Amino acid sequence: MPMLTAEVIDPAFSRFIIGNAPVIQLATGFSWVEGPVWFGDAGCLLFSDIPSNRILRWTPGSGITTYRAPSNYANGHTRDREGRLVSCEHGTRRVTRTEHDGTITVIADRFEGKRLNSPNDVVVKSDGTIWFSDPHYGIMTDYEGFRAEQELPCRVYRVDPATGEIAVMIDDMQCPNGLAFSPDEGLLYVADTGRMFSDDPQHIRVYDMEGGRPVRGRHFHTVSPGCADGFRLDSEGYLWTSAADGVHCIAPDGHLMGKIPVPELVSNICFGGRAKHELYITATSSLYRVTLNRSGVQRP
Ligand code: MG
């Protein structure tokens, strides 16, 4: 049986992993997969194959089926407090919610009359507000959307779905990308992946949440090699992030705990399974899974 050959940097990391639980390739043959989201009630995982313009569904036992095609070049996904799918779409430059009856509601597509760039990743806070990053990756080429003029800076926005109000939360990053709250929502983590194209930032910043806004943004961790395209927190506040060589686990104080090597460049991760103890990994052309001795933040 294959073994997990994790790289333990902090000795405590050896308790986070299960030595005889391998990294399993669940499916392959995709173009560039991203945006995994676990649906425990439906017993499946959804994720995007962005260049192929589709959202896929992986179900244990039956494998891959198409959830939505075309997907408007959807990227990141999450679920709101009612369990509905919330999606970032590059092609339509918007954030949407899929209602329980399957109809699609637009959450945000403009700010002050200008079109968003290409919403990338999204998270929903316990108060129902929807937070998303809006870098320009999806409008730079025709590969993951439609090449177009950038109308707005790259920012992080918050939408109050009750009023529809959209507000700028972070506007001093080059390319905000992955984002997630700490388990108690006292901290917001946001990656800046500006270095995809230059020597610019390639780190995760952490913000204190005060009065519903992120404040005192500061450096948290520089991912190397690769970037924090997507990440999630476990129930004890450890951050599990994408990297070029696999998945990295970062302690709440910002130090690297260890790495789980993955054969392809990782884009994003999410926790799933019965106890949220399985890490689902989207990595270039494949979907992988590894079982951990940790659990993700418990959400629907
Ligand atoms: Mg991303």
Side-chain angles (χ1 to χ4, degrees):
M1 182 177 181
M3 305 285 278
L4 175 61
T5 52
E7 187 178 335
V8 176
I9 293 161
D10 184 320
F13 187 64
S14 58
R15 298 196 304 270
F16 293 9
I17 56 177
I18 298 172
N20 63 347
V23 175
I24 299 169
Q25 186 186 63
L26 299 175
T28 190
F30 311 116
S31 299
W32 175 255
V33 288
E34 246 281 17
V37 59
W38 177 253
F39 276 65
D41 41 3
C44 69
L45 180 92
L46 299 185
F47 62 102
S48 298
D49 185 358
I50 305 176
S52 299
N53 199 13
R54 54 188 178 160
I55 301 172
L56 298 162
R57 178 199 294 112
W58 177 82
T59 309
S62 50
I64 297 290
T65 50
T66 299
Y67 173 78
R68 179 181 298 162
S71 63
N72 299 320
Y73 296 91
N75 185 340
H77 304 280
T78 192
R79 301 181 76 184
D80 71 6
R81 308 312 292 181
E82 296 178 39
R84 296 172 294 191
L85 177 69
V86 177
S87 303
C88 294
E89 297 179 0
H90 286 180
T92 40
R93 301 168 69 169
R94 65 186 189 178
V95 178
T96 63
R97 180 177 64 223
T98 301
E99 308 295 344
H100 291 303
D101 66 5
T103 58
I104 291 174
T105 302
V106 178
I107 302 292
D109 61 354
R110 287 175 183 272
F111 181 74
E112 294 181 339
K114 294 178 177 155
R115 297 190 74 187
L116 298 175
N117 298 318
S118 50
N120 188 295
D121 214 341
V122 59
V123 64
V124 175
K125 202 161 167 278
S126 61
D127 63 5
T129 53
I130 296 165
W131 297 62
F132 67 93
S133 57
D134 186 40
H136 60 311
Y137 297 124
I139 55 172
M140 293 181 69
T141 69
D142 285 312
Y143 187 53
E144 295 192 358
F146 302 100
R147 187 160 53 146
E149 284 296 312
Q150 184 175 349
E151 298 178 28
L152 290 166
C154 299
R155 293 163 163 160
V156 172
Y157 296 95
R158 179 193 67 197
V159 182
D160 181 346
T163 63
E165 184 205 7
I166 175 169
V168 176
M169 290 291 111
I170 296 172
D171 63 359
D172 62 348
M173 282 190 170
Q174 188 166 340
C175 290
N177 200 324
L179 73 172
F181 287 100
S182 61
D184 67 0
E185 299 185 339
L187 299 170
L188 173 66
Y189 297 91
V190 184
D192 193 334
T193 55
R195 206 201 291 164
M196 275 186 190
F197 306 107
S198 65
D199 282 335
D200 291 319
Q202 192 71 359
H203 58 257
I204 301 171
R205 280 163 75 180
V206 61
Y207 297 78
D208 300 314
M209 290 296 294
E210 236 174 54
R213 299 188 69 94
V215 297
R216 290 185 290 279
R218 57 204 180 267
H219 179 270
F220 173 67
H221 181 86
T222 296
V223 175
S224 180
C227 65
D229 197 347
F231 52 83
R232 297 285 196 281
L233 278 290
D234 70 25
S235 60
E236 293 180 33
Y238 288 78
L239 187 151
W240 298 74
T241 179
S242 66
D245 57 352
V247 176
H248 294 188
C249 176
I250 318 298
D253 69 1
H255 81 271
L256 180 61
M257 298 291 294
K259 304 180 180 184
I260 296 176
V262 175
E264 298 177 76
L265 190 150
V266 175
S267 65
N268 211 332
I269 58 124
C270 77
F271 287 91
R274 168 177 52 79
K276 289 281 188 77
H277 62 310
E278 295 170 339
L279 198 61
Y280 287 85
I281 302 162
T282 50
T284 309
S285 65
S286 306
L287 174 69
Y288 295 88
R289 182 187 65 199
V290 62
T291 301
L292 300 175
N293 191 26
R294 307 291 286 179
S295 292
V297 174
Q298 296 296 314
R299 297 264 158 76

